[in-house]
């Protein structure tokens, strides 16, 4: 068999391999975070038709001669991954994000506790930030892998507790309306209603009109009330029940009592005071009130762990997050039902000394290969490892124009190598025909 046939077959194989790479690039042109591959040729082994020899300057000696070599086609030199950042594509999911830099997300199955060594963790590296929160409050990607980063340290990241006013419910408070000359005296549980509470008087008038059809004239006071209960609280009436005693215009009402000022209303100034007026069996505390507690800024741990919605120290349960946002430094912020800002965690970025030393696995995951070099994790800081773009996903970095150009040259190279086989076959045919 002539050597041109061997070289042509080798060329066909290497061009087919390049076409496989081009086809894979084009097939993944819409795969999030996909990094294109480049195929590189190398000439194959050589056979010396004439060996080289050094020249001699002695009398009768001859000059030097170069070696004459014949090659045996081409082979694959290498297939390299191009790790340039793809273009950002907007996403409607606020937990979707991309890395604007050379870093990688750290994802995988659950690793209990915290750790710092990425290489020994058995986790994967990823460039795709399609994230969601699962039923246990953990941040996961669309392959069900947990996302790792830095948790909020205990005692930090606590949202502000706003000041609230105490409120109580009173069921079935006795109301008496007694005629006093041309006017009426109104008492609720024995507490006179005077001019300090015009809104309450209006409510009582509305009630009396509803149950008795009469306009009640409540005498004016001195601007204060005989009891601090009505002075310190806003009171509203509901569920009017008319008295069955025709001699007394009155009955019972349910009251909603809210303190006018915020703060803790425990003790004699609060429910205890009301209970002495209305009776313990009729009082229900709906909120004791509290003073404002300032928020505590978050401090993120230095060890890696799976990112999870933290526990509310007030309730002992996870915060009920309604919306999310991911900042450039990888911090994940939520807003709960009370419209409070809740820090959830900070994404980790993995740095790889030699990204081409990574090996591709199922989907869009990478594992460290033997030639990957040093691998470490860090908090996003906008350096070479990059920053986070929340609300975006990274598109494939495949250049279709370049791929189609490579496909044309590859096709022509394959065609040329097949032509060598055809021509070589014709030459062999001529050689065979010489015997006739």
């Amino acid at each position: 068999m002539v050597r041109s046939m061997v070289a042509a077959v080798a060329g066909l194989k290497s061009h087919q391999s390049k076409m496989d790479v081009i086809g894979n690039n084009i097939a993944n042109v819409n795969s999030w975070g996909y990094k294109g591959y480049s195929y590189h040729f190398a000439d194959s082994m050589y056979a010396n038709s004439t060996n080289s020899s050094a020249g001699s300057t002695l009398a009768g000696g001859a000059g030097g001669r170069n070696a004459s070599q014949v090659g045996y086609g081409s082979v694959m030199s290498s297939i390299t991954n191009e790790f340039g950042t793809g273009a950002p594509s907007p996403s409607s999911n606020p937990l979707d994000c991309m890395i604007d830099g050379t870093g990688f997300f750290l994802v995988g199955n659950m690793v209990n506790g915290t750790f710092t060594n990425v290489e020994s963790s058995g986790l994967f590296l990823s460039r795709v930030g399609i994230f969601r929160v699962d039923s246990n409050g953990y941040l996961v990607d669309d392959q069900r892998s947990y996302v790792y980063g830095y948790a909020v340290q205990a005692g930090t990241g606590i949202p502000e507790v706003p000041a609230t006013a105490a409120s109580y419910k009173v069921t079935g408070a006795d109301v008496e309306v007694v005629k006093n000359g041309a006017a009426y005296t109104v008492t609720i549980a024995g507490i006179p209603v005077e001019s300090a509470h015009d809104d309450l008087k209006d409510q009582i008038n509305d009630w009396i009109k509803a149950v008795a059809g009469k306009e009640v004239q409540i005498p004016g006071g001195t601007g204060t009330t005989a009891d601090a209960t009505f002075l310190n609280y806003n009171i509203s009436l509901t569920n009017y029940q008319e008295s069955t005693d025709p001699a007394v215009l009155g009955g019972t009402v349910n009251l909603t009592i809210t303190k006018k000022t915020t703060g803790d209303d425990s003790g004699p100034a609060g429910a205890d005071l009301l209970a002495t007026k209305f009776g313990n069996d009729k009082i229900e505390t709906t909120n004791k009130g509290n003073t404002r507690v300032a928020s505590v800024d978050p401090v993120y741990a230095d060890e890696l762990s799976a990112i999870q919605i933290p526990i509310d120290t007030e309730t002992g349960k996870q915060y009920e997050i309604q919306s999310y946002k991911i900042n450039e430094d990888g911090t994940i912020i939520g807003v709960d039902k009370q419209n409070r800002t809740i820090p959830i965690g900070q994404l980790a970025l993995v740095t790889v000394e030699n990204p081409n030393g990574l090996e591709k696995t199922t989907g869009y995951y990478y594992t460290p290969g033997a030639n990957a070099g040093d691998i470490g994790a860090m908090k996003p800081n906008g350096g070479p490892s990059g920053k986070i773009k929340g609300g975006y996903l990274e598109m494939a970095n495949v250049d279709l124009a370049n791929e189609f150009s490579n496909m044309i040259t590859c096709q022509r190279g394959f065609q040329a190598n097949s032509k060598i086989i055809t021509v070589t076959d014709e030459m062999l045919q001529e050689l065979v025909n010489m015997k006739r």
Side-chain angles (χ1 to χ4, degrees):
M1 184 69 72
V2 294
R3 284 176 289 192
S4 61
M5 185 74 77
V6 176
V9 171
L12 289 177
K13 289 181 178 179
S14 58
H15 279 81
Q16 179 59 61
S17 295
K18 179 170 183 176
M19 186 60 72
D20 293 340
V21 172
I22 295 172
N24 186 58
N25 286 341
I26 294 176
N28 285 283
V29 69
N30 286 317
S31 296
W32 298 120
Y34 177 79
K35 303 302 177 185
Y37 287 84
S38 296
Y39 184 96
H40 304 286
F41 291 100
D43 43 356
S44 186
M45 68 176 185
Y46 287 85
N48 287 354
S49 297
T50 304
N51 293 326
S52 62
S53 60
S56 174
T57 58
L58 297 176
R65 178 176 60 189
N66 296 325
S68 297
Q69 296 179 302
V70 178
Y72 283 83
S74 64
V75 294
M76 179 194 74
S77 170
S78 64
I79 299 175
T80 58
N81 213 178
E82 305 295 335
F83 278 97
T85 304
S89 175
S91 171
S92 59
N93 174 36
L95 282 177
D96 285 346
C97 60
M98 64 169 284
I99 303 170
D100 186 9
T102 61
F104 295 83
F105 296 117
L106 184 62
V107 300
N109 292 336
M110 177 57 71
V111 176
N112 292 325
T114 61
F115 61 95
T116 56
N117 192 318
V118 175
E119 294 184 65
S120 63
S121 66
L123 298 173
F124 299 110
L125 307 185
S126 166
R127 289 282 300 186
V128 180
I130 304 177
F131 298 150
R132 302 291 186 275
V133 175
D134 72 359
S135 58
N136 294 315
Y138 282 97
L139 190 67
V140 298
D141 67 10
D142 65 342
Q143 303 297 313
R144 300 178 60 197
S145 293
Y146 294 102
V147 181
Y148 287 82
Y150 305 96
V152 180
Q153 291 186 1
T156 71
I158 300 174
E160 174 185 323
V161 179
T164 58
S167 60
Y168 309 93
K169 288 183 179 179
V170 180
T171 304
D174 294 326
V175 178
E176 289 186 352
V177 182
V178 180
K179 189 172 183 180
N180 184 13
Y184 289 85
T185 299
V186 179
T187 60
I188 299 178
I191 305 172
V193 177
E194 298 183 352
S195 60
H197 291 274
D198 291 335
D199 58 337
L200 182 57
K201 289 194 297 183
D202 291 341
Q203 293 182 64
I204 293 173
N205 264 313
D206 292 341
W207 172 55
I208 297 301
K209 287 179 184 179
V211 299
K214 296 182 179 181
E215 183 81 25
V216 176
Q217 295 180 5
I218 301 174
T222 60
T224 61
T225 181
D227 195 292
T229 305
F230 284 172
L231 185 63
N232 298 329
Y233 295 88
N234 293 317
I235 303 176
S236 61
L237 287 72
T238 57
N239 195 27
Y240 314 129
Q241 297 292 327
E242 185 178 4
S243 173
T244 58
D245 185 355
V248 178
L249 183 58
T252 61
V253 293
N254 293 345
L255 305 177
T256 299
I257 301 177
T258 305
K259 195 165 187 179
K260 293 181 178 179
T261 58
T262 59
D264 190 347
D265 199 41
S266 302
D272 292 348
L273 173 63
L274 296 175
T276 62
K277 305 299 180 182
F278 299 102
N280 280 315
D281 58 328
K282 295 181 180 181
I283 296 291
E284 176 189 349
T285 302
T286 55
N287 179 13
K288 288 186 176 181
N290 58 267
T291 56
R292 176 183 176 274
V293 179
S295 62
V296 179
D297 291 338
V299 176
Y300 297 97
D302 293 324
E303 298 80 20
L304 293 164
S305 62
I307 296 177
Q308 184 184 25
I309 296 174
I311 301 297
D312 185 350
T313 55
E314 294 291 323
T315 64
K317 299 178 181 180
Q318 288 180 338
Y319 291 101
E320 298 183 60
I321 305 299
Q322 303 300 299
S323 62
Y324 298 90
K325 179 184 178 182
I326 299 181
N327 297 320
E328 285 190 352
D329 62 355
T331 53
I332 305 170
I333 304 298
V335 177
D336 70 356
K337 286 186 173 181
Q338 302 178 49
N339 205 34
R340 299 180 300 175
T341 299
I342 311 297
I344 297 173
Q346 186 174 16
L347 294 170
L349 285 187
V350 176
T351 58
V352 182
E353 184 178 7
N354 175 26
N356 271 299
L358 298 175
E359 297 176 3
K360 205 74 180 285
T361 63
T362 305
Y364 45 73
Y365 291 159
Y366 298 87
T367 57
N371 196 39
D374 293 334
I375 297 177
M378 63 180 297
K379 298 172 183 177
N381 59 10
S385 62
K387 59 185 178 181
I388 303 298
K389 283 188 174 182
Y392 290 89
L393 289 173
E394 182 184 7
M395 299 174 66
N397 66 351
V398 174
D399 185 343
L400 276 179
N402 185 58
E403 295 301 323
F404 280 115
S405 175
N406 288 338
M407 184 163 53
I408 292 172
T409 57
C410 184
Q411 179 185 13
R412 293 308 178 201
F414 187 92
Q415 188 178 39
N417 278 275
S418 64
K419 189 66 176 178
I420 293 173
I421 294 176
T422 301
V423 172
T424 302
D425 177 58
E426 292 175 355
M427 292 173 63
L428 291 172
Q429 182 66 36
E430 290 294 328
L431 184 62
V432 171
N433 290 338
M434 287 176 62
K435 185 176 180 299
R436 293 180 181 178

